[in-house]
């Protein structure tokens, strides 16, 4: 089902319930990251030198993100008019160099 169609038919309550469920039982990329972290953790624990490291490392050490979720990307800063003009000039120059003669 297309996402737009699904969202048109979903109530606010249903959306809130899905978000709450995701916090309890993650799905998607976060679930994949957790599964891979568990595998890495088990492998590391089976090879850990118990004399040098008495306590096992926490599972969070094996997650790609410290808090289990990626940090949201920062919004790009607004581009100045001069920057946009310089980019346009550069693209025009490249366009002239990339055009191939027709055979």
């Amino acid at each position: 089902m297309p996402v737009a169609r699904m969202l048109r038919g979903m109530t606010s309550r249903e959306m809130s319930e899905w978000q709450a469920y995701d916090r309890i039982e993650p799905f998607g990329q976060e679930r994949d990251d957790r599964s891979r972290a568990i595998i890495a953790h088990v492998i590391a624990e089976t090879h850990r030198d118990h004399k040098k490291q008495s306590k096992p490392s926490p599972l969070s050490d094996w997650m790609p993100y410290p808090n289990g979720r990626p940090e949201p990307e920062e919004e790009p800063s607004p581009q100045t008019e001069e920057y946009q003009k310089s980019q346009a000039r550069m693209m025009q120059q490249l366009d002239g160099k990339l055009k191939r003669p027709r055979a």
Side-chain angles (χ1 to χ4, degrees), residues 14-95:
E14 289 173 319
M15 183 66 162
S16 297
E17 287 172 356
W18 275 111
Q19 289 172 330
Y21 178 75
D22 182 47
R23 283 191 295 276
I24 296 167
E25 189 65 39
F27 47 87
Q29 185 65 41
E30 185 178 348
R31 184 182 185 116
D32 292 342
D33 289 342
R34 184 180 293 172
S35 296
R36 290 182 185 107
I38 290 169
I39 293 167
H41 185 256
V42 168
I43 292 170
E45 286 304 304
T46 58
H47 293 89
R48 176 171 56 94
D49 184 347
H50 295 273
K51 291 177 185 174
K52 290 182 180 177
Q53 185 183 354
S54 61
K55 292 185 178 182
S57 61
L59 181 62
S60 60
D61 284 357
W62 300 95
M63 293 291 287
Y65 308 104
N67 63 0
R69 293 184 184 258
E71 296 295 322
E73 293 183 16
E74 291 183 25
E75 290 292 320
S77 59
Q79 297 176 359
T80 64
E81 184 178 345
E82 185 54 44
Y83 176 79
Q84 291 177 359
K85 286 180 182 178
S86 71
Q87 293 297 304
R89 283 191 296 273
M90 182 177 66
M91 285 188 271
Q92 287 172 343
Q93 290 170 352
L94 285 173
D95 186 45

